[in-house]
Amino acid sequence: IILTDDQGYQDLGCYGSPLIKTPNLDKMAKEGMKFTDFYATAPICSPSRASLMTGCYPMRVGIVTVLMPKDKIGLNPSEVTIPKILKGEGYSTACIGKWHLGEGPELSPLKHGFDYFYGLPFSNDDDHSEYGPEFPKLVRNDKTIEAPADRTTLTRKCTDEALQFIESNKNNPFFLYLSHPMPHVKLGASPDFSGKSRRALYGDTIEEIDASTGEVFTLLKKLNLDEKTLVIFASDNGPWLQYGQDGGSSKPLRGGKFSTFEGGMRVPCIMRWPGQIPAGIVCNEVATIMDILPTIAKITGAEIPDNHIIDG
């Protein structure tokens, strides 16, 4: 699963962006299925991500607002999650990028079925004075390795970690949750992409994520894993329109992040799996971020406890 942060509905070439070039994701859509009516369960980060991990409405798992560094709550470790059910099937699991479902030894991704975590516990703009100078902080497992994190290198670093995880697990089943901290403000792009997009820094961040996705597909093909790997690309909610040029576009929809109009809830989503998902398909059926867990369970034969309610 490749998840972006606050990316608007229009902010890919295959969804109509006039200024942002995304050749790798456009190719992914041509080789797989593009969803026109795919929904987050909230127009903000933490609740939507809780739904992705659990297959449940945010209210069911108690994550109903954006978590901040001062908060002492998070997703309950007793919840059933995608990595937990896959661990039972022998999968190696990694969360790379933004988590945003709780921080600390009892709430980190390591308590939710992930073998490895590299990324940000919260959003990349959590550098407000009340949180302290170490935010946003970059963490490996439960150890801070860079504080504050350099936003210009985040996409590159997360990509390198993701490629290394895939390479290390080429001979066994794996679940990679590559959750990019961008294009959530504050924005940052590496020197290879900064200033290159016609859509300013926001476009730079999307184009770097597109290149990152291309690197993932290149490695999967090199390792002969392409036809064995389902790849899902989506955003956690709509764009932060209040930031103008630094925010995305939800056209032709109304509204954006924080809004329950379509622009806040309907997000780009592409799924690709050669030999399993027919190429070049556009799906107009309603689907949600909650549907991913039960879909993965069905594909892999992973068991969900009989007494556990799943909304997807």
Side-chain angles (χ1 to χ4, degrees):
I1 298 174
I2 302 173
L3 190 73
T4 55
D5 197 348
D6 294 359
Q7 183 175 357
Y9 186 78
Q10 192 192 49
D11 295 329
L12 293 175
C14 57
Y15 279 84
S17 177
L19 301 176
I20 302 174
K21 295 180 179 180
T22 55
N24 295 291
L25 287 159
D26 296 349
K27 184 181 179 184
M28 181 183 178
K30 289 179 181 179
E31 295 175 347
M33 180 180 289
K34 183 182 83 169
F35 290 76
T36 62
D37 292 74
F38 187 88
Y39 288 85
T41 53
I44 51 177
C45 302
S46 299
S48 176
R49 290 160 184 270
S51 288
L52 169 61
M53 283 292 103
T54 66
C56 295
Y57 284 110
M59 297 76 74
R60 189 179 300 284
V61 295
I63 304 295
V64 295
T65 189
V66 175
L67 300 180
M68 299 294 185
K70 67 181 185 301
D71 295 327
K72 303 302 181 184
I73 64 169
L75 186 64
N76 193 316
S78 67
E79 293 293 346
V80 174
T81 63
I82 295 173
K84 279 186 180 179
I85 64 172
L86 291 179
K87 289 294 292 178
E89 299 301 312
Y91 279 66
S92 298
T93 58
C95 174
I96 296 172
K98 176 183 170 182
W99 173 236
H100 214 171
L101 290 173
E103 183 190 24
E106 297 306 315
L107 296 171
S108 82
L110 303 180
K111 291 294 185 181
H112 291 279
F114 287 106
D115 299 319
Y116 181 70
F117 172 50
Y118 176 93
L120 307 181
F122 298 98
S123 294
N124 68 11
D125 68 333
D126 285 321
D127 53 359
H128 310 292
S129 58
E130 67 265 31
Y131 301 145
E134 73 272 19
F135 289 95
K137 59 184 178 181
L138 184 62
V139 172
R140 176 176 280 115
N141 293 327
D142 283 328
K143 182 179 180 181
T144 299
I145 58 174
E146 186 177 286
D150 181 355
R151 294 182 183 88
T152 66
T153 64
L154 278 176
T155 301
R156 181 68 261 163
K157 287 176 178 175
C158 288
T159 302
D160 289 343
E161 291 283 331
L163 297 175
Q164 183 176 339
F165 175 75
I166 293 171
E167 181 79 44
S168 299
N169 290 279
K170 61 186 177 184
N171 296 321
N172 58 272
F174 64 84
F175 169 56
L176 169 63
Y177 175 40
L178 176 53
S179 175
H180 288 290
M182 303 292 169
H184 189 296
V185 295
K186 302 176 180 177
L187 301 172
S190 69
D192 288 343
F193 294 89
S194 181
K196 303 296 174 64
S197 167
R198 294 169 59 204
R199 182 59 170 74
L201 184 54
Y202 182 89
D204 297 344
T205 67
I206 299 293
E207 293 188 3
E208 185 165 13
I209 289 169
D210 177 76
S212 166
T213 306
E215 290 185 56
V216 169
F217 283 127
T218 297
L219 181 58
L220 290 174
K221 290 176 182 177
K222 176 185 174 183
L223 299 175
N224 295 317
L225 297 176
D226 199 39
E227 295 188 0
K228 299 179 181 179
T229 309
L230 167 63
V231 181
I232 299 171
F233 179 94
S235 176
D236 65 347
N237 51 251
W240 208 337
L241 299 178
Q242 292 91 321
Y243 277 88
Q245 186 171 256
D246 281 351
S249 170
S250 59
K251 291 181 179 179
L253 310 176
R254 177 184 182 182
K257 181 173 180 171
F258 301 116
S259 164
T260 52
F261 289 121
E262 291 286 292
M265 304 288 289
R266 200 190 324 179
V267 295
C269 178
I270 307 168
M271 300 191 190
R272 177 187 181 275
W273 189 5
Q276 301 293 330
I277 296 176
I281 301 297
V282 176
C283 178
N284 302 122
E285 300 294 332
V286 171
T288 82
I289 206 164
M290 293 185 294
D291 298 333
I292 293 176
L293 181 146
T295 300
I296 289 175
K298 180 69 177 295
I299 290 168
T300 62
E303 291 189 9
I304 299 171
D306 291 338
N307 61 350
H308 189 75
I309 298 174
I310 296 290
D311 297 305

